[in-house]
Amino acid sequence: MGRGTLAAMTDLSPAATEPPWKLAQRLENLPIVLAGPIVRHATDTEVTVWLALRQRQRVRLVVYRNRDGSGDPIAEGTRTTVAVGAHLHIVAVTARVSGDDEMTAGVSYRYDVRLGDGAGQGLTDPGIVSCDEDDEVRRQVLGFGDETLPSFALPPGDLSRLRIVHGSCRKLHGKFNDGLATVGYLIDKARAESTAEDPWSLIRPHLLLLTGDQIYADDVADSVLAMCTDFGDTLLGWPVPGEWLPGVPLPNWPTALPPGTRTDLALDAAGFTGGLKHPELAKSHLMGLGEFLAMYLLAWSPTLWPDELPVSEGGDWWERQWVQQLRQTLPRVRRALANVVTYMILDDHEVTDDWNLSRDWCRRVWGEEEHESTPKPLARRIVTNALLAYALCQAWGNTPDRFTAAGAAGTQILTEVEGSPGAPDRPGWNGQPYRQPVLDRIADLLGVPTGRLPAARRGASVLPKHTSALRYDYSVTWPGRPFELIVTDPRTARMFDPDPQAAPGVLSDDALVAQLPAPAAAPYLTIVVIPGPVLGVPVAERLQRKLTSELNNYYLDDEAWALRPKTYHRLLGRLAHRPRVLMLSGDVHMGFTIKAGLWARQPYGEPAPVATPLRSDIAQLTASSFRHPAGHTFALTATGWRALPLRELFQENLEDAACWPAKLTPEVDWAFHPAGIGNSWQDSFKQEPAWLDVTAGRQRPRVFVPEHWRVRLRYITGWRHSPAVISPVRRPPEGATAGAVIGWVGDVLGVAVTAAERLVGTEVVGFNNVGEIRLASGDGTAYGALRVTHHLWWDISDTGRPTQCTIAPVVLNPTDYSDIPAQVWEPKP
């Protein structure tokens, strides 16, 4: 498909009769709540719920102990919605306990959201989340089984009871069934299996961690963009014709940029790179603020969806089929998000593919000092719109205090968006050029770069941002629980080396310290969300490193942590201070499990050795995608995982390394064994930090410098909960027709392909999947072992029920020194 060649939507012509899918003629007949409720930040003393409404409302959140919402509430709070537009009002309302009372683990708390003054109308009343006249139908929009209201349960202190669900990458027109609907299946399954000994509150999912790419702004189906443009304009109600986009020739508002025609704008006017590999992926890139906001509402709720999708003249038939399939699962998705505490973080697709990928990307988009590149106004607007939508729909619920505290960046963003009624000198943002100063203030608060990237001659550099910009990383602890949750932001705080094509430092040195501070006293377990996997596939990463010098890195997505060893080992050094770490990742559209055993006497980046060498076990649990499968499962056979039954190729299934903070001098620091090894060792030592592959069974050179840290990567092999049954294909009888024989051959090949694909599920899942984590600790002290079981649910039905599960066990035991490489240095002879 050529760039910008797809025909525009046939019913977007001004002369056409307004089609029934458009929002303006349906809006007044829709429920007041357009999306949500979604349970967000929750502790023993407070809980926050997010909603989007079509009217300005005073919202009261009430939390009950009793399942029917009777009795005195244990927590309550009120907040007025923020008017993002004339018909779009968003709120993250927090209910707090009063006095010395607290919410506790082991209880499923029901909640209601009441609108207006006094008691107001609640979630099950007509016209709030559903306009159906049947009480039972309205109740089932958010309640499971015979539950009257939605509910949530706080994470327990007993790790053997804690259940965490995680996943990423949800494209509305991605293939096959939606993995996010599986979260609802798991909640309901736990309810059905609950007993007096195992109550629902202790066996249901307690935390849902969405680890990136909750929406795809850069790869959008034509029918979805048509809805986002129309719905966004209607909800915002800005002056006609809508938001003026800079850097675009007139007419420059979203409705003048139809679906299927935006590739040239995204690649050339904005400088984005996601469509360089496949131009058709950028044909319907989101640009206007209303489009971004509408995408979130479409992704999380069925309310705005019309009976029939818009139709284009172009070849979007398959897109429409996948979009229509997802639309059928949205009621389950909405109910799931209303019934589990959910934390989120963005990755690149919330903005655009390859966002802040490399110095060259920054040159194209932000410009670079002392370089001929210039900033792209359209790119700045798109990134600002994307981050504003993210702040309103995701970040606000993650960290509600950052949006309520006086003078906080989030608080200021909400004020600038809405403006101050009755204060003409403080108008809100309305998409018009004469209010550009308002948007400039919002952009600074969002952390949009305030200038060009510093010149390459200055060395590694970061994008400049306002000192008061909103931070998207955060951490959460629950009193009495032996774990902490740290959620990192590896997109807005990157470091770029002088080489324009070099892989980035996914977190700058300063960002690593700020986002992963050294603990005064490390908890028993640390859960760290890092959207892109840190522990990758060495074979693939070495190939990427080699090809980067030969190919443009936009074709390879060269942003793996290990491609910049300084950042990779600095991160491991930060994690080394925590004895047990679960790293949750997504991004790569495959699910798998890796363990790293780490020993360090001087972690990389630290100025001096520690008093006692550190010992840490790290398990990386990757679940991806909810709905954007890899589609190339056969390529996994050579990655180091035993993905297909060629077990003899991967007998060891591990990689060991000894490491030093600086390059070693071959003539002084080490020498070959008499048998000789080859130049590969020298290549390793040329890196900074230096490393030496000491995988068991290989010959090693003699090393005369004590290593500073050692690490072992082990690719975890699991088992299938329900192995696939492959039906035999009968050979045609003697004398059958040629057509029958040809058909039989085709059936045999089809079965062979299916069997190979299904066998992939034992270690690497390349299909839509959802990760579930279950734990079993020893005695709960700082020295006990922790048994982790990573369930990857996949082969998902249209009801959200998974039919396959890959189970990978990991033991985190920092007292076990046999699970790290042995000492390798020797005294000089």
Side-chain angles (χ1 to χ4, degrees), residues 717-769:
T717 58
W719 66 88
R720 289 275 294 284
H721 180 265
S722 302
V725 177
I726 306 299
S727 301
V729 179
R730 296 187 179 278
R731 185 186 182 104
E734 191 74 24
T737 64
V741 174
I742 292 173
W744 168 71
V745 171
D747 290 343
V748 169
L749 292 175
V751 168
V753 170
T754 300
E757 288 178 342
R758 295 307 190 194
L759 286 169
V760 170
T762 53
E763 283 83 42
V764 177
V765 177
F767 306 94
N768 293 341
N769 61 80

Side-chain angles (χ1 to χ4, degrees), residues 177-250:
N177 288 312
D178 183 9
L180 192 53
T182 300
V183 178
Y185 166 80
L186 296 175
I187 296 172
D188 199 30
K189 180 174 181 286
R191 183 192 61 82
E193 295 174 351
S194 61
T195 64
E197 294 75 22
D198 292 309
W200 191 28
S201 58
L202 291 179
I203 64 173
R204 66 188 291 173
H206 301 104
L207 296 174
L208 170 61
L209 304 178
L210 303 183
T211 59
D213 298 337
Q214 275 65 264
I215 65 168
Y216 274 68
D218 53 302
D219 183 2
V220 182
D222 292 349
S223 58
V224 173
L225 177 60
M227 291 189 291
C228 287
T229 304
D230 177 76
F231 297 0
D233 279 354
T234 299
L235 293 171
L236 293 180
W238 285 349
V240 177
E243 180 179 358
W244 284 55
L245 299 172
V248 179
L250 290 173

Side-chain angles (χ1 to χ4, degrees), residues 77 88 96 160 305 307 325 378 612 735 749:
L88 180 58
R96 293 182 174 84
S160 66
W305 288 74
D307 293 334
Q325 186 185 64
L378 178 60
T612 303
L749 292 175

Side-chain angles (χ1 to χ4, degrees), residues 311-465:
V311 180
S312 78
E313 295 177 348
D316 73 333
W317 187 86
W318 275 110
E319 287 184 347
R320 283 171 48 80
Q321 305 314 304
W322 295 122
V323 171
Q324 188 63 38
Q325 186 185 64
L326 174 124
R327 185 259 184 86
Q328 305 307 317
T329 68
L330 283 172
R332 296 183 178 87
V333 169
R334 183 186 200 179
R335 184 170 56 177
L337 294 175
N339 285 271
V340 61
V341 176
T342 303
Y343 290 94
M344 311 176 184
I345 190 62
L346 80 172
D347 201 10
D348 58 339
H349 289 288
E350 275 93 349
V351 179
T352 190
D353 190 20
D354 297 337
W355 180 32
N356 292 341
L357 177 68
S358 62
R359 178 175 290 273
D360 185 70
W361 194 95
C362 293
R363 284 178 177 176
R364 291 172 58 98
V365 173
W366 306 120
E368 182 183 359
E369 294 176 356
E370 303 177 13
H371 190 269
E372 67 274 10
S373 57
T374 58
K376 299 289 197 305
L378 178 60
R380 179 178 175 82
R381 174 63 63 86
I382 293 173
V383 173
T384 301
N385 286 339
L387 287 178
L388 180 53
Y390 171 78
L392 293 170
C393 298
Q394 295 196 55
W396 191 356
N398 292 331
T399 54
D401 287 351
R402 295 179 185 175
F403 290 79
T404 56
T411 306
Q412 295 181 65
I413 289 170
L414 299 183
T415 299
E416 295 287 356
V417 166
E418 188 173 35
S420 300
D425 59 329
R426 298 296 295 174
W429 171 236
N430 68 353
Q432 305 307 298
Y434 61 86
R435 289 196 183 169
Q436 183 65 38
V438 177
L439 187 62
D440 290 341
R441 291 194 294 269
I442 292 174
D444 286 347
L445 292 166
L446 290 167
V448 178
T450 55
R452 302 184 184 194
L453 183 69
R457 67 174 179 81
R458 301 183 183 178
S461 51
V462 299
L463 287 163
K465 66 170 63 175

